[in-house]
């Protein structure tokens, strides 16, 4: 059997949020994402609290009919830190780290979110997928996310689907 080597890409972005970390952090949750992410769908598999927590497991559907399994691998609401791992079987595995902090030199009503994604191909097809995750693609993805969460924080309403990714 030939040896396979997965390709790995890591991207990082800092979002600026129009609310303090205490208001932003609870939105980084599979349940609460329905409030601000257009079309967000999930199936909660395990959570003692019913929302994001360490060890929470949930599934999201993919356009091709497959499902991605997510696990919250770090959860610290005091430090405003959360991490996820997800696997789209046979294609890509990802690790996501998010750390919120108060924005220095700006009103305490704002925060920043340092977001890091690490994608790893699980097959030749997965490696081709990972190669598409370049800086331009990632920046667009993060700016769409930033616009959506800030719209919700400012208005309590979800952004129009046309303005999302």
């Amino acid at each position: 059997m030939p040896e396979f080597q997965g390709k790995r890409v890591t991207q990082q972005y800092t979002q600026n949020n129009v609310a303090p970390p205490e208001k932003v952090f609870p939105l980084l949750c599979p349940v609460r994402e329905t409030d601000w992410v257009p079309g967000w769908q999930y199936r909660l598999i395990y959570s003692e609290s019913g929302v994001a927590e360490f060890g929470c497991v949930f599934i999201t559907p993919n356009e091709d009919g497959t499902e991605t399994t997510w696990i919250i691998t770090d959860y610290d609401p005091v430090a405003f830190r959360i991490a996820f791992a997800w696997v789209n079987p046979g294609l890509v595995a990802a690790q996501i780290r998010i750390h919120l902090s108060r924005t220095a030199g700006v009103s305490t009503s704002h925060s920043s979110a340092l977001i890091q994604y690490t994608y790893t191909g699980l097959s030749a097809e997965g490696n081709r997928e990972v190669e598409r995750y370049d800086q331009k693609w990632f920046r667009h993805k993060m700016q769409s996310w930033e616009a959506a969460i800030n719209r919700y924080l400012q208005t309590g309403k979800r952004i129009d689907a046309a303005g999302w990714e």
Side-chain angles (χ1 to χ4, degrees):
M1 180 180 246
E3 197 170 310
F4 171 77
Q5 178 67 42
K7 291 191 177 180
R8 178 169 278 179
V9 171
T10 299
Q11 301 288 358
Q12 189 169 291
Y13 184 83
T14 301
Q15 289 182 354
N16 296 303
N17 300 122
V18 296
E22 295 85 0
K23 293 213 183 259
V24 178
F25 190 78
L27 300 176
L28 304 176
C29 165
V31 177
R32 293 295 312 276
E33 285 197 28
T34 59
D35 293 342
W36 63 274
V37 176
W40 175 253
Q41 297 177 16
Y42 72 96
R43 186 163 38 102
L44 194 60
I45 300 300
Y46 180 82
S47 170
E48 290 182 11
S49 66
V51 292
E53 62 188 26
F54 179 77
C56 175
V57 177
F58 61 100
I59 292 174
T60 56
N62 298 316
E63 292 176 5
D64 65 0
T66 62
E67 295 181 320
T68 296
T69 301
W70 298 66
I71 301 170
I72 297 180
T73 58
D74 185 23
Y75 184 79
D76 188 340
V78 174
F80 306 115
R81 191 178 65 234
I82 190 167
F84 303 83
W86 60 251
V87 176
N88 187 345
L91 198 61
V92 177
Q95 300 167 5
I96 306 158
R97 299 190 156 290
I98 304 168
H99 183 226
L100 300 172
S101 59
R102 296 189 194 291
T103 305
V106 180
S107 164
T108 58
S109 65
H110 287 73
S111 58
S112 61
L114 177 59
I115 302 167
Q116 180 179 304
Y117 275 67
T118 300
Y119 300 98
T120 304
L122 301 176
S123 62
E125 183 183 358
N127 279 348
R128 287 189 294 277
E129 182 73 14
V130 166
E131 287 173 350
R132 293 185 329 104
Y133 301 159
D134 63 13
Q135 183 60 40
K136 181 180 177 184
W137 172 86
F138 187 73
R139 185 175 44 251
H140 176 72
K141 175 183 176 75
M142 291 295 100
Q143 289 171 341
S144 295
W145 173 359
E146 185 175 31
I149 201 166
N150 283 332
R151 160 81 180 203
Y152 179 78
L153 289 165
Q154 290 172 317
T155 68
K157 295 180 181 173
R158 198 172 25 239
I159 198 167
D160 180 28
W164 175 254
E165 295 190 338

